[in-house]
Amino acid sequence: IYPLIELATAVLFTISPLLVGWSKELLITLALISLLMIIFISDIHYMIIPDRVLIFFLCLLVLLRLFVPFAPWWSPFVGAFVGFLLMYTLAIVSKGGMGGGDIKLFFVLGLALGFQATLLAIFLSAFYGSLFGIIGMMLRKVERGKPIPFGPFIVIGSLTAYFFGEKLFSLYWQLLL
């Protein structure tokens, strides 16, 4: 799996300037990709999202967000708190169905994604995870009640929300109206 992750990281680093441009936001993008690739591997192999990794990227993203503008300026900080609170509430309601690492991860992700994209990332992560679970059960590869790591779906949902969130919101409003 490591060569695939290395390849995915290289591809994401390569296409990032094409998607976000050669701006200060590229620093946030590269930090986000780095965080998510670490989380992907860690959660698949050990079903753990390490606090050390989250603390490092929390500090890095807070620092970067102080120097990399976001419109509106408060959106990353609100996204962090809302992402944390939604996931914490979900963990309580599901009686432990959500791990503590996933909850803390969404706090860190909120700083990179901003408020709107954090909400979208939560929705997409749940969608991708559900889709995988349903297909896995149909193929008898996933057993009902057996835990599966949610981190990989958070990674895919977050990257989708970060890179394509504005387009998805625009498409949604066009279809709605």
Side-chain angles (χ1 to χ4, degrees):
I1 194 166
Y2 289 108
L4 293 175
I5 296 302
E6 295 292 338
L7 179 63
T9 304
V11 168
L12 288 168
F13 270 43
T14 302
I15 66 169
S16 291
L18 303 173
L19 296 172
V20 300
W22 291 98
S23 65
K24 292 179 185 175
E25 184 66 25
L26 186 58
L27 297 172
I28 299 286
T29 306
L30 298 177
L32 176 65
I33 292 167
S34 299
L35 165 65
L36 292 175
M37 294 299 105
I38 294 167
I39 297 306
F40 190 92
I41 287 291
S42 176
D43 209 26
I44 280 182
H45 281 290
Y46 308 110
M47 288 190 69
I48 289 176
I49 297 176
D51 286 343
R52 287 181 185 167
V53 171
L54 294 176
I55 290 168
F56 174 80
F57 282 96
L58 171 69
C59 296
L60 179 61
L61 287 168
V62 165
L63 237 151
L64 287 172
R65 273 296 170 216
L66 292 175
F67 298 102
V68 178
F70 196 94
W73 68 268
W74 48 264
S75 182
F77 303 102
V78 171
F81 285 105
V82 169
F84 175 84
L85 289 174
L86 282 174
M87 297 306 283
Y88 185 72
T89 303
L90 184 62
I92 291 171
V93 170
S94 68
K95 297 180 177 152
M98 183 70 50
D102 300 326
I103 298 166
K104 293 177 271 189
L105 175 59
F106 265 103
F107 184 85
V108 177
L109 289 174
L111 293 169
L113 301 175
F115 174 66
Q116 265 190 322
T118 300
L119 294 178
L120 182 59
I122 291 170
F123 171 78
L124 290 172
S125 301
F127 173 75
Y128 294 143
S130 298
L131 192 62
F132 175 84
I134 290 167
I135 292 170
M137 283 192 274
M138 287 172 33
L139 297 174
R140 299 188 193 277
K141 299 288 183 186
V142 174
E143 295 177 33
R144 188 180 198 111
K146 185 178 178 189
I148 58 172
F150 190 50
F153 306 110
I154 294 173
V155 168
I156 297 166
S158 297
L159 288 171
T160 304
Y162 185 77
F163 287 123
F164 307 107
E166 288 182 26
K167 290 177 182 157
L168 290 172
F169 278 119
S170 176
L171 179 65
Y172 173 76
W173 286 114
Q174 286 176 354
L175 291 174
L176 192 64
L177 299 175

